């Protein structure tokens, strides 16, 4: 039997390399990533004699080193069906690195904007007749709502009492997790829903900050920074992606 890629006799991986005399530890997982998985001696002895013919389109090797395959070969007649992910062509390494680096950069930008908005920039300026203008930050705003008798809505009060900070942390972590489990063309199933939530979050920031026309409060830059941080998460989140394309069958 010639060297080539054959269905893994152990069943642990879709394909395993046969070097002409024995099964080798080199195998391909469902995404065609090389793995090293020594085959048990019993399975190797039992399947060496009756292995199926080599996969169509795989040239015989000139050495014992498995060649890199450009795509996943079609399933052989009578072979056990491979997992659905076997039919997916792996993403180009350069494209994957750019995809990941771009989203990590946006996550860092979002984190910086959120920290700046909640802890550095002023949240607003309280204007009272006959009194000097008072600059307040997010952490002080809840107390000033009652102290200055500001006509804030229920959402504005809840947002100032810590809901805004908790909300920003939740969407930041959710976006990071979504990026971690996604790949180019293979997005997390909840990615689109999270993007809709992030869009609604930007509206929530507007109505929770002094930009929503709280009488007696002039908005400052903190609310705009928080809005920008949520927008960066919206752009970074892998949302409504297309289904991965399958390679055409070999002829």
């Amino acid at each position: 039997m010639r060297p080539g890629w054959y269905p893994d006799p152990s069943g642990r991986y879709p394909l395993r390399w046969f070097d002409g005399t024995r099964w080798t530890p080199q195998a391909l997982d469902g995404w065609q990533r090389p793995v090293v998985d020594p085959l048990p001696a019993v399975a190797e002895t039992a399947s060496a004699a009756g292995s199926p013919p080599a996969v169509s389109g795989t040239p015989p090797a000139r050495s014992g080193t498995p060649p890199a395959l450009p795509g996943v070969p079609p399933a052989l007649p009578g072979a056990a069906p491979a997992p659905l992910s076997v039919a997916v062509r792996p993403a180009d390494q350069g494209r994957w690195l750019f995809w990941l680096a771009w989203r990590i950069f946006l996550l860092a930008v979002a984190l910086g904007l959120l920290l700046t908005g909640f802890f550095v920039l002023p949240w607003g300026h309280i204007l009272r007749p006959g009194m000097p203008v008072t600059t307040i930050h997010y952490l002080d705003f809840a107390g000033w709502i009652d102290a200055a008798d500001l006509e804030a809505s229920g959402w504005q009060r809840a947002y100032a009492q810590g809901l805004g900070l908790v909300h920003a942390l939740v969407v930041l972590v959710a976006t990071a997790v979504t990026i971690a489990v996604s790949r180019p063309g293979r997005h997390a199933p909840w990615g689109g829903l999270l993007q809709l939530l992030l869009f609604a979050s930007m509206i929530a920031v507007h109505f929770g900050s002094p930009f929503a026309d709280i009488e007696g409060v002039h908005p400052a830059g903190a609310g705009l920074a928080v809005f920008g941080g949520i927008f960066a998460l919206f752009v970074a989140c892998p949302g409504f992606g297309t289904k991965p394309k399958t390679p055409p069958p070999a002829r």
Side-chain angles (χ1 to χ4, degrees):
M1 185 173 62
R2 295 186 306 171
W5 290 105
Y6 298 89
D8 185 1
S10 70
R12 292 200 293 265
Y13 294 95
L15 297 175
R16 184 176 292 273
W17 182 255
F18 186 78
D19 63 5
T21 58
R22 64 182 181 85
W23 295 102
T24 68
Q26 284 75 30
L28 296 178
D29 66 5
W31 283 90
Q32 272 199 301
R33 293 172 297 195
V35 295
V36 177
D37 177 60
L39 191 67
V42 175
E44 182 177 347
T45 304
S47 58
S51 298
V55 177
S56 176
T58 304
R62 299 180 181 178
S63 65
T65 303
L69 296 181
V72 178
L76 294 174
L84 180 60
S85 59
V86 176
V88 180
R89 188 182 299 273
D92 176 73
Q93 185 69 14
R95 177 188 171 210
W96 154 243
L97 290 177
F98 176 80
W99 185 94
L100 183 61
W102 169 243
R103 281 163 172 78
I104 291 178
F105 170 76
L106 288 174
L107 281 178
V109 170
L111 178 60
L113 288 173
L114 292 175
L115 291 176
T116 301
F118 284 115
F119 300 107
V120 179
L121 293 178
W123 193 251
H125 307 284
I126 296 182
L127 310 175
R128 293 174 294 175
M131 299 292 292
V133 177
T134 303
T135 300
I136 56 173
H137 290 75
Y138 170 79
L139 298 178
D140 304 323
F141 186 50
W144 274 100
I145 290 179
D146 294 328
D149 196 20
L150 302 177
E151 296 183 0
S153 66
W155 171 251
Q156 289 166 339
R157 290 177 181 273
Y159 198 87
Q161 290 169 353
L163 181 61
L165 189 57
V166 173
H167 170 263
L169 177 62
V170 169
V171 295
L172 177 66
V173 173
T175 305
V177 171
T178 303
I179 293 173
V181 301
S182 298
R183 296 293 184 273
R186 186 171 66 94
H187 297 167
W190 64 83
L193 181 62
L194 180 57
Q195 266 196 332
L196 293 177
L197 176 62
L198 290 168
F199 180 78
S201 298
M202 289 186 283
I203 300 176
V205 172
H206 170 77
F207 285 104
S209 69
F211 282 99
D213 296 330
I214 303 177
E215 186 177 356
V217 181
H218 183 74
L224 187 59
V226 174
F227 182 92
I230 302 296
F231 179 76
L233 295 178
F234 174 82
V235 176
C237 178
F240 299 95
T242 57
K243 294 182 179 179
K245 297 180 180 179
T246 57
R251 295 183 179 179

